[in-house]
Amino acid sequence: MSGHPNRAGWSRGPGAVCEPLPRPRRRTVRLVLLGPPGVGKGTQAELLNQRFGACHLSTGELFRAARCAADHSPAMREALAAMQRGELVADELVVRMVRERSQCLRCCGGFLLDGVPRTVAQVEALDELFEELGVSLDAVLSYELDLEAIVRRLSGRRTCSDCSAVFHLASRPPRDESVCDHCGGRLLQRDDDHPDAVRVRMGAYRQATQPLQDFYRRRNLLISISAQGRPDEIAQRTFRSLENRLGVLTD
């Protein structure tokens, strides 16, 4: 998105400067995004950024950027080593990586945290960090979609083996079902996008995130958003819910 910050401080860590810098807002929005794979959080984060100016701070993007970087912080080195061993990244490491990017949490443009927290232990550690930084969450957006709709979305995805472009057989079909429109590479279905694998992933996701939803619901921060329909329809539900909860947000 031209004109929006490049999130260098998030992807490269301490000392990196975003260009252009976010502009100050009368009302800075700080949100956590929850939702299973296939629910469209990335698209919603783009639309939230366009509406409210808050930067999308995704741990997935952070790890992808780290794999291409030459220098890593100690926390990132440990996290990448754990991932290479096929292990989950420990709560303590995740929070250390976020702490290294504290300037992003204090940013005058606000933030959209995606991928963290994933456990109650991470929530509690982030609460301590927010208190140190003098910031607080405005809301936690939980995007909801029924299981079979998620299965249809993910099982229809195809990824180019050469350029990694992503298509969908129903919503974004390639001209040829097996060939990438961009580079002519082979389009493949990821192993974890097969329907049975998706159902297993969703079971694990819901078991892991239910305690988070309960935690944030008790704090009156959780806002459930139906992820059924077109991205613009989902975005309008999100905007209405935020404005009903927080008041008028746009400058």
Side-chain angles (χ1 to χ4, degrees):
M1 291 177 291
S2 178
H4 290 283
N6 62 8
R7 293 168 290 182
W10 180 253
S11 61
R12 298 205 297 269
V17 178
C18 299
E19 296 177 0
L21 291 170
R23 66 183 178 88
R25 319 281 295 189
R26 287 205 307 267
R27 178 65 162 86
T28 297
V29 179
R30 299 183 176 99
L31 307 171
V32 164
L33 307 184
L34 298 178
V39 84
K41 287 199 309 297
T43 299
Q44 293 308 308
E46 282 192 25
L47 297 172
L48 284 161
N49 172 276
Q50 291 169 10
R51 181 68 174 264
F52 302 126
C55 288
H56 183 202
L57 307 181
S58 162
T59 53
E61 179 180 291
L62 183 58
F63 287 126
R64 285 190 292 274
R67 289 191 182 102
C68 301
D71 297 321
H72 300 121
S73 70
M76 181 59 78
R77 282 197 297 271
E78 290 182 51
L80 291 173
M83 294 171 68
Q84 288 167 356
R85 294 191 299 268
E87 301 170 0
L88 292 176
V89 179
D91 291 337
E92 182 265 340
L93 283 178
V94 173
V95 175
R96 277 171 58 194
M97 288 187 298
V98 174
R99 181 179 286 277
E100 289 172 348
R101 293 156 175 79
S102 294
Q103 75 275 15
C104 293
L105 302 180
R106 288 193 300 259
C107 176
C108 62
F111 62 74
L112 311 167
L113 269 181
D114 177 5
V116 61
R118 290 192 176 223
T119 67
V120 172
Q122 290 180 17
V123 171
E124 293 170 343
L126 283 175
D127 274 355
E128 293 180 8
L129 177 57
F130 291 156
E131 187 172 353
E132 289 176 25
L133 300 175
V135 301
S136 59
L137 284 179
D138 292 301
V140 176
L141 302 179
S142 180
Y143 289 98
E144 311 287 347
L145 192 62
D146 70 76
L147 176 60
E148 291 310 308
I150 292 173
V151 170
R152 288 192 295 274
R153 284 190 184 182
L154 292 184
S155 62
R157 283 198 308 201
R158 297 295 183 270
T159 303
C160 177
S161 59
D162 292 337
C163 73
S164 300
V166 178
F167 298 86
H168 193 281
L169 298 182
S171 61
R172 192 185 174 194
R175 290 189 292 271
D176 183 313
E177 188 170 308
S178 61
V179 179
C180 176
D181 288 357
H182 305 304
C183 72
R186 289 179 59 218
L187 293 181
L188 305 174
Q189 184 181 41
R190 286 171 28 177
D191 289 342
D192 58 357
D193 279 348
H194 288 278
D196 289 344
V198 172
R199 292 186 179 94
V200 170
R201 289 166 64 196
M202 291 307 103
Y205 171 83
R206 286 182 172 147
Q207 183 176 6
T209 57
Q210 188 63 55
L212 293 185
Q213 293 174 323
D214 293 342
F215 185 98
Y216 284 126
R217 188 177 289 110
R218 288 194 295 271
R219 292 191 168 191
N220 198 33
L221 286 171
L222 190 74
I223 301 175
S224 295
I225 308 288
S226 169
Q228 188 70 47
R230 301 190 312 271
D232 62 302
E233 294 172 335
I234 301 165
Q236 288 305 315
R237 284 184 211 122
T238 303
F239 301 156
R240 284 195 300 271
S241 296
L242 284 172
E243 290 172 354
N244 288 339
R245 177 71 64 90
L246 305 176
V248 176
L249 299 174
T250 51
D251 284 349

